Amino acid sequence: MISLLRALFSRTMPVPAPTTDEWAAALDLPVFAGFPAVDRRHLLLLAQELLAGKRFSPVAGADPGGLDIAAIVTQAALPILHLGTRWYRGWNEVVLYPGEFAHEGDETDEFGIVHRVRHVRSGEAWEGGPLVLSLDSVRMSGHREGYNVVIHEFAHKLDMNSGSVNGFPPLHADMRREAWSTAFATAYADLRASLARPQGMEDSEIDPYAAESPAEFFAVMSEYFFEWPELVFATYPAVYAQLCQFYRQDTLRRLSSFPVQPIGAIE
Ligand SMILES: [Zn+2]
């Protein structure tokens, strides 16, 4: 907290505007494969609207290039392609660190004792406040490898639109709350149970961080939904179906002819 505030007050220059080539390169990332031209134009317009509407603050020596900025806003536009930028209202700043950063704060344990903790993070989303990203982690995102810090943190922002961070974003009128909670609660309980078994950590392809809380489960499932939908569909098909309805996209169908390359895959 203190380090973030100090960093905010020592902010430096504005970020560079992406060139036409940098916009094109950002939209060439494997996570955008299979989009028709009309959707690519729509993504670009949404991304440019996000760039105009948010303040980007490099801190701690971060030096983003135009391609970094284009990569952030195009990937942030991906989840809201059929939702609109109003889903990212109510906050206005994206803080950029050069690499992973330390988060310091108070956490209450199961006995009610408050501890001062320090975690290393690649991103953070504050309720009503900034979204924070590590540029190193941004550069690892979008490659269809099952990792995407941009989509993860912006999914937290979508979740926060309900007024709490609990993995239950506001649903569309044609969706059923009961179907959402049954799908997510069942899958979350299954993941926690499977990780608790011997060898569970080694056997699970899903990042164990998803088992931290329902909010993290939603953010990690959203990450996979766009980066590696095959995994969500095969593991938790009911969650996949709910995410299709929520994001109004069928990522599996769009990406099916483009191979996934999960991190750690053996060639
Ligand atoms: Zn998270």
Side-chain angles (χ1 to χ4, degrees):
M1 173 77 177
I2 289 166
S3 57
L4 175 62
L5 288 177
R6 194 183 299 129
L8 287 176
F9 283 113
S10 63
R11 75 167 59 102
T12 48
M13 66 282 171
V15 295
T19 63
T20 307
D21 285 350
E22 286 166 340
W23 284 118
L27 282 169
D28 259 351
L29 282 166
V31 76
F32 297 112
F35 271 126
V38 62
D39 283 330
R40 296 174 76 83
R41 277 197 297 275
H42 191 185
L43 279 165
L44 182 59
L45 287 176
L46 286 173
Q48 290 173 337
E49 197 182 322
L50 287 174
L51 180 56
K54 304 288 182 206
R55 185 170 67 247
F56 287 78
S57 306
V59 298
D63 187 15
L67 180 56
D68 293 317
I69 300 301
I72 292 168
V73 289
T74 52
Q75 288 173 79
L78 181 53
I80 57 156
L81 175 63
H82 299 305
L83 304 181
T85 50
R86 68 182 177 84
W87 281 76
Y88 293 151
R89 273 193 203 146
W91 57 281
N92 54 27
E93 182 158 40
V94 179
V95 176
L96 303 174
Y97 278 86
E100 291 186 322
F101 50 91
H103 164 96
E104 288 177 43
D106 293 333
E107 269 181 19
T108 309
D109 69 15
E110 58 190 307
F111 306 108
I113 299 165
V114 177
H115 299 269
R116 191 80 189 153
V117 294
R118 187 173 186 276
H119 297 297
V120 174
R121 296 270 172 88
S122 54
E124 267 181 358
W126 294 40
E127 267 188 279
L131 186 147
V132 189
L133 293 169
S134 138
L135 284 174
D136 281 349
S137 306
V138 167
R139 291 165 191 152
M140 291 165 60
S141 304
H143 301 282
R144 276 275 270 154
E145 295 174 336
Y147 176 80
N148 198 307
V149 70
V150 179
I151 289 172
H152 183 108
E153 299 308 333
F154 277 82
H156 281 314
K157 285 293 189 184
L158 297 177
D159 188 7
M160 287 167 189
N161 281 316
S162 67
S164 48
V165 199
N166 56 3
F168 208 136
L171 302 184
H172 311 305
D174 60 352
M175 294 180 70
R176 287 175 44 235
R177 291 177 61 84
E178 193 189 306
W180 180 279
S181 28
T182 303
F184 275 83
T186 307
Y188 180 64
D190 176 82
L191 179 65
R192 287 180 65 95
S194 68
L195 291 175
R197 284 196 285 271
Q199 298 297 311
M201 284 284 189
E202 287 79 20
D203 291 347
S204 175
E205 288 199 276
I206 292 180
D207 183 350
Y209 190 61
E212 288 274 311
S213 68
E216 293 306 336
F217 187 76
F218 168 67
V220 173
M221 287 300 121
S222 294
E223 217 176 313
Y224 288 134
F225 180 73
F226 290 100
E227 282 275 343
W228 190 5
E230 295 87 346
L231 182 63
V232 192
F233 185 73
T235 318
Y236 300 124
V239 167
Y240 181 81
Q242 289 299 309
L243 291 173
C244 282
Q245 289 185 48
F246 177 66
Y247 289 114
R248 294 174 171 149
Q249 298 187 43
D250 186 344
T251 45
L252 193 57
R253 179 186 290 184
R254 172 170 63 84
L255 293 167
S256 59
S257 38
F258 303 90
V260 66
Q261 296 175 342
I263 291 172
I266 297 163
E267 300 276 13

